[in-house]
Amino acid sequence: MIILDYRDKRPIYEQVVEKLERLIVGGGLEANTKMPSVRSLALELAVNPNTIQRAYAQLEQDGYLYTVSGRGSFVAHESEWRGAKEKQLTEKLKSVVQEAKEAGMTQERVLSAVAEVYAEKDFAKGEETEHD
């Protein structure tokens, strides 16, 4: 289920992209699942269909969805989006680590903070997060 925050400063389509991306990555939407039509999702969320069309286009560009002409949009297989997601997260991590370095955090403290995050309970699943 997608719940939009109209007080969020981000555009609605970005919120839709984020929510659908989380559903796909989290396994809530499995590969080859047919997505709701642009019109039906727009009605459900009470937004302009162009907003949903833009979100679907972004998700397709990012590899999360694929379109079959005349049939609609479908969730792509994990192999289609996993690499791009990891690259995106690596870039975010680089930025955060650089900021931590500039703030004087030691490598040990940064690694400790990362370990703490991995050890936190995953409240969405109600379990401890898995470690590799």
Side-chain angles (χ1 to χ4, degrees):
M1 180 173 185
I2 298 175
I3 299 174
L4 301 173
D5 180 359
Y6 295 101
R7 295 176 300 187
D8 192 325
K9 293 183 194 289
R10 294 176 302 153
I12 298 296
Y13 89 93
E14 286 182 8
Q15 292 183 52
V16 172
V17 167
E18 177 191 24
K19 305 287 185 180
L20 290 175
E21 183 180 309
R22 284 185 181 190
L23 280 171
I24 293 168
V25 171
L29 290 172
E30 295 182 10
N32 300 317
T33 300
K34 186 175 185 333
M35 296 296 293
S37 71
V38 167
R39 180 175 289 145
S40 68
L41 188 55
L43 283 171
E44 183 180 324
L45 298 177
V47 298
N48 189 304
N50 292 333
T51 300
I52 302 304
Q53 183 62 47
R54 187 170 180 187
Y56 277 14
Q58 181 66 50
L59 287 163
E60 186 169 356
Q61 181 180 340
D62 293 344
Y64 292 99
L65 299 180
Y66 65 92
T67 301
V68 176
S69 186
R71 305 246 4 238
S73 295
F74 297 82
V75 176
H77 191 271
E78 183 176 345
S79 63
E80 300 291 322
W81 52 262
R82 177 64 65 194
K85 182 65 176 175
E86 286 180 6
K87 183 178 178 183
Q88 176 190 36
L89 292 172
T90 298
E91 290 304 313
K92 283 182 181 181
L93 186 58
K94 284 180 183 178
S95 175
V96 169
V97 168
Q98 184 61 40
E99 191 176 338
K101 282 171 60 176
E102 291 169 2
M105 284 181 74
T106 64
Q107 180 178 357
E108 293 76 22
R109 179 61 194 120
V110 171
L111 292 174
S112 173
V114 169
E116 289 172 20
V117 170
Y118 267 88
E120 287 178 1
K121 191 170 194 155
D122 186 345
F123 293 105
K125 296 179 184 175
E127 58 191 31
E128 292 295 321
T129 315
E130 295 286 326
H131 301 297
D132 286 312

